[in-house]
């Protein structure tokens, strides 16, 4: 009952102003699925260009780039999730994200097929994801949301790109 | 007079803490019984300026405390008081106490009143304990604030007083503000007119001051000429207040605790206004910035202490100014040449650019040097620490400091301080035996702990050596098994065993003492050193002592690098680790068991590391004679690094890979080249290990 009232008032707000409860998400395409990341974490979107490969790292680490004086590693999301990789094309982009770990903040980039859109999604509209067999393992998914009848997978980038995870993968 | 004093606070605190360090090292250098007058003077001067400064800024607590110390020191300086172990101990304690007070005042925080009072009482007891010895006691006695009818002040200024910019008349006028005064002038010292030096004072005064005036008020008047005049105070009431002096002292000690003047609140720093919530979709970057601005605001709320400053010698600054001058000249030359570029001027232009490059490099070097401080800043706390610890533990220890002038980056220095304290403490506590034990083992009673710092290549090496009992490998092993760090049937090399002491939660001290043994620490030490990009190594021989070797990069920022190419990739080898580069002569290549390759360089055989193999790259050629071999030296020895080509040499700014990524074996960092691309810097030691491992695996 309460909840319903809350959502309703939020809906009214949405008409007048941008709703405080709704977060903005940047979405991108990977392997024909649409994924969203919290837009506040996005530092920059840039085209794919030369990277410096780092030896003895997992294959999905494409290398490092110079982002205005900071060394930023790039992760190929397709390879990260073991999806068949496709050659990088004109729409291939690097989304530079801020990842907040337990004790530090990192800047990392993910290489994805293309950038899609920006949506406002209320927190309440993001539903927990069932284990549905997407290419992305369920533990990195914060939830699912529908936008215009389309499913959007909201990623938990902190979990996805946490250094522990990278560390563990590199050892295996 | 409304000068905003708060702008000088930082300087005052900087200088005071420096003064405290001077006092401490001076006190530690004092030989009990035969004190060196110059040392006492140094200590005294430091105390005096802290007192003067704190009084000026209204830090009454500090000023009063320092005054006690100063009085004691003054008596020592005059020779009216012997330098005893006890008094030195108390003075050292007072230094701690002052440090606490100053820190408290600086952060506007509370301080440990009990401790301060205790030391204060101790000092006063020292001062008044032996009443016969000094005249200044009589006036100290009267410090209580009870009813006093007046004072007799004997004011004998030193003859050079006028030269210090003080005028006795002004002082006497000042006194007259406190109460009714009667002044008699003593002209006994006045010479014949012909011998009279106009700049000297020959007069002295007896001043009778009536009224209920506290001693502090009078002292305050004479604050600045304490050194330059003989001032004797006696109570007019005639009533000797000796009886209640100690009680009075206690009261005054407590009473002085409260009135710390609150300095003006610093202006609220301007912080970026967070971007408003309702930013339209387009401004992605704006939005993303928001949390950053917030965190910045949070950071700026921290106390002013974080604005660390650095003292730079004038020489270094002058050098910088010279270099900037040269840079300006080069720049104007270049711009002149640039106006009319003809074929003839091209050569000149190139010369000019060469000069510009040299200027830039020199400028960079001297800017970096500004950050460099001698390591004595980190070492100076140890004499005190070792002295205290050895007293506490009943050990006899001599501390030797070597290479104190070795310079290293300020940031590195700040971070290495705590780990060093830990290691020295360990040496003293675990390493050195008790005098009896030592004698029984045929060693001198006095143990030695040595701190040595020196440069080696691009590193600074700090060694902590003790001639104590060394590390018992069996005990460590057993302990590690007990703690479940290793398995009982594992076989470890000596090095691996010593490395165990850095495991978390590991301590072998039989008894946990207040000093060490809780097993917190060594792992932190190692982590701290790792964070600085250094490493730590333990060498020990049972019964003879141990050495802990810390290697740290000199500076965290810049490196001379040799650019090399393997296939399409550019890497950087720190120039410091390169011994030579040469073309391969086939006849010098030998292989062992068809696997490991060795290159015979003069009389030595060096392992060949094929960089493309270790890093999994695509080289131009796998034939050794097509490329070059760079002979490099790491910690584990020398090796020949096979690369496709040598490119240029240049200074590179080191960027961390770890900030956003993680450490990579064989790579110490990254840098950005002139064209904006990233190049990785090789970690030679790691690389040699890496190739060794991979060849072991292959074998």
């Amino acid at each position: 009952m309460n909840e319903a009232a809350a959502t309703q008032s939020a809906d009214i707000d949405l008409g007048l102003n941008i709703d405080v409860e709704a977060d903005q998400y940047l979405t991108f395409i990977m392997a024909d699925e649409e994924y969203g990341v919290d837009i506040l974490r996005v530092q920059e979107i840039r085209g794919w260009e030369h990277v410096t490969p780092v030896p003895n790292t997992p294959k999905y680490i494409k290398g490092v780039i110079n982002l205005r004086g900071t060394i930023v590693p790039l992760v190929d999301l397709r390879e990260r999730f073991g999806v068949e990789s496709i050659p990088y094309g004109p729409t291939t982009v690097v989304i530079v994200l801020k990842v907040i770990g337990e004790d530090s903040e990192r800047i990392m980039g993910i290489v994805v097929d293309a950038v899609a859109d920006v949506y406002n999604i209320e927190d309440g509209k993001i539903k927990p994801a069932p284990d549905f067999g997407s290419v992305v393992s369920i533990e990195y998914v914060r939830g699912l949301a529908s936008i215009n009848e389309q499913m959007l997978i909201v990623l938990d980038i902190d979990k996805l790109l946490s250094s522990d995870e990278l560390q563990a993968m590199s050892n295996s | 007079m409304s000068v905003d004093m708060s702008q000088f606070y930082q300087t005052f605190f900087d200088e005071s803490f420096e003064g405290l360090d001077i006092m401490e090292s001076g006190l530690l250098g004092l030989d009990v019984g035969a004190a060196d007058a110059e040392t006492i003077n140094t200590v005294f001067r430091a105390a005096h300026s802290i007192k003067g400064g704190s009084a000026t800024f209204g830090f009454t607590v500090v000023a009063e405390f320092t005054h006690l110390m100063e009085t004691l020191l003054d008596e020592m300086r005059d020779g009216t008081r012997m330098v005893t172990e006890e008094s030195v101990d108390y003075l050292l304690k007072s230094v701690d106490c002052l440090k606490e007070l100053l820190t408290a005042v600086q952060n506007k925080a509370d301080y440990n009143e009990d401790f301060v009072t205790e030391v204060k009482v101790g000092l006063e007891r020292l001062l008044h304990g032996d009443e016969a010895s000094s005249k200044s006691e009589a006036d100290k006695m009267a410090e209580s604030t009870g009813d006093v009818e007046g004072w007799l002040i004997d004011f004998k200024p030193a003859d050079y007083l006028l030269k210090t910019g003080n005028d006795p008349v002004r002082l006497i006028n000042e006194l007259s503000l406190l109460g009714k005064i009667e002044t008699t002038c003593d002209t006994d010292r006045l010479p014949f007119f012909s011998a009279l030096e106009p700049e000297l004072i020959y007069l002295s005064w007896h001043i009778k001051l009536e009224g209920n005036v506290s001693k502090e008020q009078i002292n305050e008047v004479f604050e600045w000429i304490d050194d330059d005049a003989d001032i004797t105070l006696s109570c007019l009431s005639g009533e000797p207040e000796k009886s209640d002096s100690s009680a009075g002292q206690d009261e005054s000690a407590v009473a002085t605790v409260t009135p710390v003047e609150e300095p003006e609140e610093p202006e609220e720093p301007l912080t970026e206004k967070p971007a408003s919530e309702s930013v339209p979709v387009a401004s992605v970057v704006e939005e993303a910035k928001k949390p950053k601005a917030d965190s910045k605001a949070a950071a700026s709320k921290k106390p002013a202490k974080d604005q660390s400053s650095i003292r730079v010698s004038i020489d270094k600054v002058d050098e910088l100014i010279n270099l900037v001058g040269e840079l300006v000249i080069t720049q104007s030359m270049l711009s002149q040449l640039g106006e009319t570029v003809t074929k003839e001027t091209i050569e000149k232009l190139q010369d000019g650019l060469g000069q510009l490059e040299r200027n830039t490099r020199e400028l960079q070097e001297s800017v970096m040097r500004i950050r460099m401080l001698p390591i004595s800043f980190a070492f100076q706390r140890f004499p005190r620490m070792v002295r205290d610890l050895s007293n506490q533990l009943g050990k006899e220890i001599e501390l030797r400091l070597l290479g104190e002038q070795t310079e290293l980056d300020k940031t590195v220095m700040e971070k290495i301080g705590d780990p060093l304290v830990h290691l020295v403490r360990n040496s003293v506590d675990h390493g050195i035996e008790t005098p009896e034990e030592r004698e029984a083992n045929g060693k001198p009673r006095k143990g030695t702990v040595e701190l040595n710092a020196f440069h080696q290549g691009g590193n600074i090496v700090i060694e902590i050596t003790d001639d104590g009992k060394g590390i018992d490998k069996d005990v460590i092993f057993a302990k590690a098994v007990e703690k479940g760090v290793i398995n009982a049937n594992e076989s470890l090399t000596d090095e691996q065993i010593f490395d165990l002491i850095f495991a978390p939660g590991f301590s072998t001290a039989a008894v946990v003492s207040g000093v060490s043994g809780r097993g917190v620490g060594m792992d932190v030490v190692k982590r701290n050193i790792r964070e600085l990009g250094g490493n730590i190594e333990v060498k020990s021989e049972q019964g003879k002592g141990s050495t802990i070797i810390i290697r740290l990069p000199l500076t965290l920022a810049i490196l001379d690098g040799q650019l090399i190419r393997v296939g399409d990739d550019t890497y950087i080898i720190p120039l410091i680790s390169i011994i030579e580069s040469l073309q391969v002569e086939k006849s010098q290549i030998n292989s062992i068991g068809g696997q490991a390759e060795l290159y015979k360089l003069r009389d030595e055989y060096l392992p060949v590391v094929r960089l493309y193999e270790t890093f999994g790259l695509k080289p131009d050629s796998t034939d050794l004679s097509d490329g070059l071999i760079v002979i490099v030296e790491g910690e584990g020895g020398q090796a020949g690094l096979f690369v496709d080509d040598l490119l240029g040499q240049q200074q590179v700014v080191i960027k961390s890979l770890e900030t956003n990524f993680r450490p990579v074996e064989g790579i110490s960092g990254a840098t950005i080249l002139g064209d904006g691309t990233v190049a990785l810097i090789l970690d030679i030691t790691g690389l040699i290990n890496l190739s060794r491992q991979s060849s072991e695996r292959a074998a």
Side-chain angles (χ1 to χ4, degrees):
Chain A
M1 175 62 203
N2 265 348
E3 211 181 326
T7 356
Q8 190 151 24
S9 75
D11 279 343
I12 294 165
D13 279 347
L14 195 61
L16 304 167
N17 217 321
I18 288 182
D19 180 15
V20 260
E21 305 251 318
D23 287 326
Q24 291 190 313
Y25 289 86
L26 175 79
T27 66
F28 58 86
I29 309 287
M30 186 187 75
D32 296 327
E33 286 172 359
E34 195 170 4
Y35 294 87
V37 290
D38 185 350
I39 208 164
L40 294 179
R41 297 297 190 79
V42 178
Q43 305 286 299
E44 171 164 342
I45 300 167
R46 51 196 289 152
W48 169 260
E49 53 187 281
H50 174 79
V51 298
T52 303
V54 182
N56 299 328
T57 46
K59 198 157 172 272
Y60 61 79
I61 303 282
K62 299 314 286 179
V64 287
I65 55 163
N66 162 22
L67 183 78
R68 291 182 296 275
T70 317
I71 308 291
V72 175
L74 299 189
V75 175
D76 184 313
L77 265 205
R78 275 179 174 265
E79 292 188 38
R80 175 71 180 78
F81 295 120
V83 184
E84 187 196 353
S85 32
I86 51 164
Y88 292 161
T91 61
T92 306
V93 289
V94 174
I95 302 176
V96 182
L97 297 165
K98 180 158 75 186
V99 182
I100 300 175
E102 264 174 32
D103 47 4
S104 62
E105 281 185 10
R106 290 157 190 271
I107 307 290
M108 296 185 100
I110 50 174
V111 185
V112 298
D113 295 357
V115 167
D117 212 334
V118 175
Y119 298 114
N120 290 318
I121 308 170
E122 288 159 35
D123 253 7
K125 296 235 167 119
I126 299 177
K127 304 282 182 258
D131 205 345
F132 56 96
S134 153
V135 293
V136 176
S137 157
I138 190 78
E139 60 181 301
Y140 307 124
V141 175
R142 220 179 87 198
L144 301 176
S146 334
I147 302 288
N148 310 329
E149 311 288 299
Q150 286 242 319
M151 186 184 72
L152 172 71
I153 304 161
V154 180
L155 288 177
D156 184 336
I157 55 163
D158 293 341
K159 273 211 188 111
L160 180 63
L161 299 176
S162 72
S163 63
D164 284 355
E165 180 66 16
L166 290 174
Q167 196 87 47
M169 294 298 288
S170 70
N171 288 344
S172 62
Chain B
M1 201 172 73
S2 64
V3 180
D4 178 16
M5 285 296 202
S6 59
Q7 58 180 314
F8 304 116
Y9 284 172
Q10 191 53 45
T11 321
F12 165 68
F13 287 123
D14 284 351
E15 284 181 358
S16 297
F17 285 120
E18 219 165 86
L20 285 179
D21 288 341
I22 293 171
M23 282 163 77
E24 192 170 309
S25 57
L27 286 170
L28 288 170
L30 275 182
D31 288 328
V32 172
D36 173 31
E38 193 40 52
T39 320
I40 300 185
N41 245 327
T42 317
V43 179
F44 177 83
R45 273 194 299 269
H48 187 64
S49 47
I50 294 179
K51 178 180 123 177
S54 46
T56 312
F57 290 116
F59 303 138
T60 341
V61 200
V62 181
E64 278 172 27
F65 191 88
T66 328
H67 181 76
L68 287 177
M69 291 178 74
E70 205 192 41
T71 319
L72 194 66
L73 284 164
D74 195 27
E75 287 172 22
M76 286 182 178
R77 191 170 63 152
D78 293 351
T80 47
R81 174 181 291 276
M82 288 297 287
V83 178
T84 60
E85 187 89 29
E86 194 195 5
S87 50
V88 173
D89 273 347
Y90 260 108
L91 282 170
L92 280 172
K93 254 191 201 166
S94 325
V95 171
D96 290 344
C97 196
L98 259 186
K99 212 172 270 176
E100 169 141 1
L101 282 174
L102 280 167
T103 322
V105 175
Q106 187 179 22
N107 298 333
K108 296 171 203 158
D110 292 334
Y111 52 86
N112 183 347
E113 278 178 32
D114 293 346
F115 179 49
V116 175
T117 318
E118 180 203 315
V119 179
K120 221 169 170 177
V121 170
L123 274 180
E124 274 156 7
R125 192 177 46 77
L126 266 182
L127 275 172
H128 309 302
D130 31 56
E131 287 167 35
S133 77
S134 85
K135 58 180 187 336
S136 67
E137 257 151 47
D139 48 61
K140 296 262 15 163
M141 289 301 160
E143 196 156 324
S144 74
T145 44
D147 280 344
V148 181
E149 283 165 33
W151 297 86
L152 270 182
I153 305 163
D154 259 348
F155 175 34
K156 279 200 201 99
D159 55 4
Y160 56 82
L161 184 76
L162 291 175
K163 291 181 185 166
T164 67
N166 291 297
D167 188 348
V169 177
R170 202 178 304 155
L171 294 166
I172 294 169
N173 280 341
E174 192 104 337
L175 276 182
S176 70
L177 298 176
L178 297 173
K180 195 177 150 229
I181 59 168
E182 248 172 67
T183 316
T184 28
C185 185
D186 182 358
T187 53
D188 285 353
R189 281 197 293 168
L190 209 60
F192 285 117
F193 191 71
S194 55
L196 192 95
E197 281 276 350
E199 289 182 350
L200 298 183
I201 296 182
Y202 299 98
L203 303 175
S204 55
W205 291 268
H206 302 288
I207 304 160
K208 192 171 151 202
L209 173 66
E210 281 174 33
N212 190 359
V213 180
S214 74
K215 184 165 177 278
E216 286 93 55
Q217 284 173 295
I218 298 176
N219 274 336
E220 210 171 297
V221 174
F222 293 110
E223 184 88 67
W224 288 104
I225 58 159
D226 240 15
D227 277 351
D228 309 319
D230 230 351
I231 296 153
T232 323
L233 290 179
S234 48
C235 228
L236 250 191
S237 61
E239 183 190 307
E241 291 171 44
K242 283 174 192 171
S243 51
D244 63 354
S245 77
S246 78
Q249 292 302 343
D250 275 1
E251 266 166 42
S252 72
V254 177
T256 52
V257 159
T258 31
V260 186
E261 260 178 52
E262 273 293 317
E264 261 178 67
E265 277 294 312
E267 255 179 66
E268 197 55 34
L270 285 177
T271 50
E272 254 177 77
K273 229 185 179 173
S276 79
E277 296 282 61
S278 56
V279 174
V281 176
S283 57
V284 170
V285 184
E286 265 307 301
E287 276 282 69
K289 264 189 196 160
K290 197 186 80 175
K292 211 179 210 171
D294 281 345
S295 72
K296 213 188 277 171
S300 59
K301 271 179 199 146
K302 281 192 182 162
K305 202 184 170 188
D306 281 351
Q307 310 168 344
S308 71
S309 65
I310 187 169
R311 290 191 154 228
V312 182
S313 78
I314 291 281
D315 288 352
K316 288 182 178 174
V317 177
D318 283 348
E319 198 184 313
L320 267 185
I321 292 173
N322 278 340
L323 285 171
V324 172
E326 270 178 53
L327 196 65
V328 171
I329 293 169
T330 314
Q331 186 269 331
S332 64
M333 183 183 91
L334 282 175
S335 66
Q336 224 168 36
L337 281 171
E339 276 168 17
T340 50
V341 181
T342 62
K343 268 186 186 156
E344 291 78 55
T345 52
I346 284 200
E347 203 174 314
K348 274 189 183 171
L349 198 62
Q350 278 167 346
D351 279 356
L353 286 173
Q355 203 172 323
L356 184 68
E357 191 198 322
R358 207 181 55 238
N359 286 154
T360 320
R361 197 175 50 239
E362 282 172 0
L363 194 61
Q364 187 187 36
E365 272 170 21
S366 21
V367 171
M368 293 309 295
R369 239 184 329 224
I370 284 193
R371 290 190 60 86
M372 303 292 259
L373 294 172
I375 199 163
S376 55
F377 282 89
F379 277 4
Q380 65 194 5
R381 66 177 100 171
F382 292 120
R384 170 75 191 279
M385 199 185 92
V386 170
R387 179 181 185 272
D388 287 357
L389 281 180
S390 47
N391 281 349
Q392 193 184 334
L393 297 166
K395 294 181 179 178
E396 289 174 28
I397 295 171
E398 186 192 342
L399 177 72
R400 267 203 296 246
L401 300 177
L402 298 174
E404 286 171 275
Q405 289 310 312
T406 316
E407 290 195 329
L408 86 163
D409 193 278
K410 184 167 184 266
T411 335
V412 183
M413 180 115 61
E414 278 164 2
K415 294 202 176 133
I416 194 62
D418 289 340
L420 278 183
V421 167
H422 230 102
L423 293 172
V424 171
R425 210 187 286 170
N426 262 317
S427 287
V428 171
D429 193 22
H430 300 320
I432 304 285
E433 314 93 325
T434 57
E436 296 72 37
E437 240 176 281
R438 291 182 65 87
E439 272 183 340
N441 289 330
K443 290 186 188 177
R445 274 179 76 84
K446 205 167 195 175
T448 313
V449 173
E450 188 181 285
L451 278 169
N452 189 10
F454 53 93
H455 285 162
Q456 192 181 62
N459 292 320
I460 182 164
V461 181
I462 304 171
E463 291 180 347
I464 300 155
T465 313
D466 67 63
D467 64 348
K469 56 177 173 271
I471 297 173
D472 189 336
K473 280 175 280 201
D474 300 337
V475 172
I476 294 208
F477 193 84
K479 186 92 173 184
V481 172
E482 183 198 316
K483 297 246 173 188
V485 183
I486 50 166
N487 271 329
N489 45 16
E490 264 180 87
S491 70
L492 298 175
T493 63
D494 286 4
E495 263 173 52
Q496 284 170 316
I497 293 179
F498 291 144
D499 227 32
L500 286 174
I501 61 172
F502 297 111
F506 201 90
S507 174
T508 55
V511 186
V512 172
S513 68
V515 182
S516 51
R518 288 184 202 282
V520 233
M522 285 308 254
D523 57 323
V524 182
V525 166
K526 184 162 188 174
R527 203 172 58 227
N528 282 354
I529 289 169
R530 275 281 172 80
E531 271 168 21
L532 286 170
N535 63 33
I536 183 165
E537 191 187 325
V538 182
K539 283 185 184 156
S540 180
E541 205 173 325
Q542 208 177 339
K544 291 204 174 146
S546 344
T547 303
I548 293 165
I549 303 159
I550 301 171
R551 281 192 188 78
L552 291 169
L554 214 47
T555 163
L556 302 172
I558 284 189
L559 173 111
D560 273 313
Q562 166 74 55
L563 275 62
I564 56 140
R565 187 178 59 83
V566 179
D568 292 333
D569 299 306
T570 306
Y571 289 92
I572 289 161
I573 304 177
L575 213 50
I576 216 91
S577 27
I578 299 184
I579 295 165
E580 60 183 297
S581 310
L582 36 96
Q583 267 182 329
V584 180
E585 276 182 53
K586 273 229 161 102
S587 59
Q588 306 289 55
I589 303 169
N590 305 275
S591 59
I592 305 176
Q595 274 293 336
E597 283 173 303
L598 293 177
Y599 189 81
K600 184 167 183 243
L601 176 69
R602 291 180 276 275
D603 285 334
E604 277 180 277
Y605 287 95
L606 306 175
V608 174
V609 177
R610 289 172 184 247
L611 200 59
Y612 69 87
E613 233 172 57
T614 333
F615 280 175
L617 308 168
K618 235 188 241 125
D620 288 356
S621 162
T622 56
D623 187 348
L624 283 183
S625 53
D626 283 346
L628 293 167
I629 281 203
V630 184
I631 310 293
V632 290
E633 182 168 30
E635 265 161 52
Q638 298 187 350
L641 212 57
F642 175 63
V643 302
D644 280 344
D645 204 359
L646 293 184
L647 306 173
Q649 283 180 9
Q650 72 178 64
Q651 287 205 320
V652 296
V653 179
I654 304 172
K655 304 268 179 182
S656 155
L657 262 185
E658 280 127 87
T659 334
N660 293 317
F661 192 33
R662 61 176 174 82
V664 178
E665 210 174 346
I667 303 287
S668 65
T671 191
I672 292 159
L673 297 178
D675 61 357
T677 56
V678 179
L680 301 175
I681 303 168
L682 299 181
D683 164 23
I684 297 301
T685 308
L687 196 64
I688 295 176
N689 287 339
L690 198 64
S691 89
R692 203 173 288 159
Q693 281 165 20
S694 66
S695 63
E696 267 168 27
R697 222 174 294 148

